[in-house]
C-alpha cells in the first residue's frame, strides 16, 4: 500500500508539472490571444511568391532579394519543391519577381533557404549574399556572389560548424564573417521538450574564417537578427520571450546586452531602416495557430515598428494586423518609399501603402 501511495504521489506531481508547463507554453505562444485585423490601404499580392517569402534584404537602389521555400519541422508547407532566391525591383510598378539563376555545382535539390543577409564590399562593390540553408533539416550557411546584370548567384562557399547547429537568421559583417542565431539547442526530438520546459539555451554565434565563438547566450529561441546603421549594435528577437534584445558589439566580437524591449507579440525577422534606425518586424500574433494549423482558424500576421530603440522609452507601433484571411504567418516586413512589403513563412507576400 505504501508503494502505491508513493507512485500515486509521484504521478500526481508529474502531471501537475506537465500541466503547468503546458499552460506556460500556451502563454509563450499567445494561444489565447484574439486577433483583431488592422489593415493598411491598397494591399496587393505579389504574383510569383506563392510559397513563402521568409526573409528579404533590400539593396541600395531598391532591389529586394527574397528567400522562398523554407522547410522547417512541424510547420506547414504548400510545396515540396526546393527553395529559390528571387529579386524584386521595388522601383518598378509591375512588381514582378525574377528567379535568380544559381551557378552549376551547387545542389539545388537540397536548397531550403531561411534567413538571408548581404554584405557589399566597399572596394569593388561586390555584393555577397549569405543564406541560411537546411539540407536534410541540418544547418549550413551558403555564401554567393550576386551578379545583378544577369540575375545570377555564383556559389562561393558552404559553411558548417558544430556551433551553427540550428541556425535561423544571419547578419553579414564581412565577405566571409557573420553573426547567426540558433533558435533551439537540441537538434532532435528533444527540442519539443526544450520548448515545453522553457529552457533558455539558445545563443548568437560569431563566425569568421579565423575564429568561431559564442557571442551571446541565454535566449529562449533566438530568431531574427540585424545590425544598427552605425554597426555598433545588434538586435535579436527572442520569439518565445516576446522581446527584442539590444546588444553592443565589442572589439573581440562578443556581445554585451544593454536592454530588451517588450513587443507584445512573437517577433520573427528584423529589418532596420538605414536612415532613421527604426526596426520593422514581421511577427506572429498567435503562434499556437501556426503550429496547430486549422484552415477555419488560420495563423495571423502582424507587423510592428520600433522607433527610438536606444532611448529610455522606445515606441512600439502595430502597423498592420491580419487574422489570417489575407496572409498567414508573416515573417518579415520592410518599408520602401511609402510602401510596406510583408513576407510570410510559407504562403503569399503582399505590398501595401503606408498610412
Amino acid at each position: 500500500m505504501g508503494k502505491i501511495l508513493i507512485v500515486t504521489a509521484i504521478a500526481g506531481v508529474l502531471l501537475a508539472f506537465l500541466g503547468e508547463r503546458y499552460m506556460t507554453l500556451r502563454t509563450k505562444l499567445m494561444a489565447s490571444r484574439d486577433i483583431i485585423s488592422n489593415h493598411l490601404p491598397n494591399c496587393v499580392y505579389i504574383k510569383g511568391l506563392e510559397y513563402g517569402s521568409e526573409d528579404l534584404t533590400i539593396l541600395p537602389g531598391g532591389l529586394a532579394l527574397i528567400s522562398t521555400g523554407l522547410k522547417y519541422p512541424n510547420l506547414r508547407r504548400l510545396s515540396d519543391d526546393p527553395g529559390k532566391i528571387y529579386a524584386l525591383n521595388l522601383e518598378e510598378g509591375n512588381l514582378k519577381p525574377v528567379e535568380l539563376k544559381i551557378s552549376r555545382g551547387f545542389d539545388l535539390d537540397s536548397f531550403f533557404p531561411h534567413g538571408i543577409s548581404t554584405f557589399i564590399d566597399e572596394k569593388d562593390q561586390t555584393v555577397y549574399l549569405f543564406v541560411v540553408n537546411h539540407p536534410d533539416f541540418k544547418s549550413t550557411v551558403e555564401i554567393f556572389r550576386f551578379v545583378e546584370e544577369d540575375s545570377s548567384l555564383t556559389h562561393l562557399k558552404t559553411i558548417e560548424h558544430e556551433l551553427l547547429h540550428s541556425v535561423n537568421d544571419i547578419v553579414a559583417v564581412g565577405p566571409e564573417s557573420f553573426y547567426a542565431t540558433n533558435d533551439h539547442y537540441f537538434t532532435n526530438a528533444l527540442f519539443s521538450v526544450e520548448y515545453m520546459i522553457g529552457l533558455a539555451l539558445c545563443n548568437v554565434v560569431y563566425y569568421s574564417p579565423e575564429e568561431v565563438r559564442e557571442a551571446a547566450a541565454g535566449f529562449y529561441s533566438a530568431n531574427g537578427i540585424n545590425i544598427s546603421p552605425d554597426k555598433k549594435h545588434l538586435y535579436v528577437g527572442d520569439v518565445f520571450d516576446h522581446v527584442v534584445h539590444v546588444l553592443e558589439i565589442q572589439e573581440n566580437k562578443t556581445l554585451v546586452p544593454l536592454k530588451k524591449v517588450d513587443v507584445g507579440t512573437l517577433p520573427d525577422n528584423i529589418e532596420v531602416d538605414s536612415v532613421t534606425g527604426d526596426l520593422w518586424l514581421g511577427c506572429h500574433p498567435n503562434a499556437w495557430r501556426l503550429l496547430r494549423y486549422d484552415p477555419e482558424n488560420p495563423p495571423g500576421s502582424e507587423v510592428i515598428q520600433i522607433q527610438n530603440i536606444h532611448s529610455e522609452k522606445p515606441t512600439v507601433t502595430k502597423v498592420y494586423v491580419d487574422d489570417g484571411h489575407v496572409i498567414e504567418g508573416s515573417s518579415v516586413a520592410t518599408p520602401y518609399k511609402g510602401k510596406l512589403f510583408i513576407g510570410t513563412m510559407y504562403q503569399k507576400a503582399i505590398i501595401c501603402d503606408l498610412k
Side-chain angles (χ1 to χ4, degrees):
M1 178 64 72
K3 291 183 178 179
I4 294 176
L5 290 175
I6 292 173
V7 171
T8 301
I10 293 174
V13 171
L14 180 60
L15 287 174
F17 173 75
L18 292 176
E20 188 274 334
R21 288 292 89 194
Y22 175 77
M23 295 306 298
T24 298
L25 180 63
R26 282 183 55 88
T27 299
K28 288 183 177 296
L29 296 175
M30 293 192 164
S32 300
R33 182 182 176 189
D34 292 326
I35 304 172
I36 301 174
S37 294
N38 176 27
H39 291 154
L40 290 170
N42 303 319
C43 293
V44 295
Y45 293 113
I46 300 175
K47 295 180 179 179
L49 297 179
E50 280 77 25
Y51 302 120
S53 42
E54 203 281 335
D55 199 9
L56 87 159
T57 184
I58 300 179
L59 297 172
L63 191 67
L65 303 181
I66 304 165
S67 66
T68 73
L70 173 65
K71 305 294 184 295
Y72 201 74
N74 302 320
L75 290 179
R76 189 183 185 216
R77 64 182 68 169
L78 299 180
S79 171
D80 289 322
D81 292 340
K84 298 178 175 64
I85 302 294
Y86 285 91
L88 178 67
N89 193 335
L90 298 177
E91 290 285 346
E92 296 180 352
N94 59 3
L95 294 177
K96 183 179 180 180
V98 175
E99 180 184 345
L100 300 183
K101 304 183 295 292
I102 298 179
S103 59
R104 293 181 180 180
F106 181 74
D107 185 4
L108 293 173
D109 291 335
S110 64
F111 189 44
F112 302 113
H114 203 162
I116 64 174
S117 181
T118 56
F119 179 82
I120 301 176
D121 193 316
E122 293 182 356
K123 295 179 181 178
D124 57 12
Q125 296 302 301
T126 298
V127 178
Y128 297 94
L129 177 67
F130 292 64
V131 182
V132 177
N133 188 22
H134 296 298
D136 300 320
F137 293 113
K138 299 177 182 179
S139 288
T140 66
V141 174
E142 313 292 347
I143 302 179
F144 300 91
R145 181 172 63 250
F146 171 54
V147 183
E148 183 175 353
E149 291 73 18
D150 62 357
S151 300
S152 68
L153 295 171
T154 300
H155 185 250
L156 302 177
K157 189 174 184 179
T158 296
I159 295 171
E160 295 181 81
H161 193 277
E162 60 183 6
L163 289 181
L164 300 169
H165 56 84
S166 178
V167 183
N168 186 299
D169 198 14
I170 188 170
V171 59
V173 292
E176 293 186 70
S177 57
F178 57 84
Y179 288 91
T181 57
N182 284 308
D183 58 12
H184 54 269
Y185 179 82
F186 295 104
T187 56
N188 51 32
L190 286 176
F191 83 86
S192 297
V193 178
E194 174 185 344
Y195 288 161
M196 178 69 77
I197 296 177
L199 301 175
L201 300 177
C202 297
N203 62 2
V204 176
V205 173
Y206 171 76
Y207 176 93
S208 75
E210 294 74 35
E211 65 170 333
V212 186
R213 63 160 63 190
E214 181 180 78
F219 305 93
Y220 289 102
S221 184
N223 197 299
I225 185 171
N226 219 320
I227 196 166
S228 61
D230 61 9
K231 312 301 181 187
K232 294 181 179 180
H233 300 91
L234 285 184
Y235 310 114
V236 176
D238 192 331
V239 65
F240 283 160
D241 205 21
H242 315 152
V243 301
V244 171
H245 292 264
V246 180
L247 305 110
E248 186 177 56
I249 302 174
Q250 305 299 296
E251 287 189 12
N252 65 357
K253 308 306 180 183
T254 58
L255 303 171
V256 174
L258 298 182
K259 64 188 298 184
K260 56 183 179 180
V261 178
D262 187 355
V263 295
T265 184
L266 286 86
D268 205 315
N269 290 309
I270 301 171
E271 296 301 309
V272 181
D273 189 305
S274 62
V275 177
T276 65
D278 294 351
L279 276 61
W280 291 80
L281 292 86
C283 304
H284 306 288
N286 183 327
W288 187 261
R289 297 185 188 180
L290 193 68
L291 297 175
R292 298 168 61 90
Y293 186 80
D294 178 359
E296 300 300 319
N297 192 23
S301 295
E302 187 169 22
V303 175
I304 63 171
Q305 176 189 17
I306 305 178
Q307 297 170 291
N308 303 314
I309 192 167
H310 295 281
S311 68
E312 291 186 5
K313 294 183 179 181
T315 302
V316 180
T317 304
K318 296 179 183 178
V319 178
Y320 177 92
V321 185
D322 178 63
D323 62 8
H325 290 88
V326 176
I327 53 170
E328 302 175 4
S330 58
S331 56
V332 67
T334 190
Y336 187 78
K337 293 187 175 181
K339 301 282 187 178
L340 182 67
F341 178 102
I342 306 173
T344 65
M345 297 182 68
Y346 58 81
Q347 200 215 21
K348 303 172 183 177
I350 62 173
I351 192 163
C352 307
D353 288 343
L354 279 170
K355 292 180 180 178

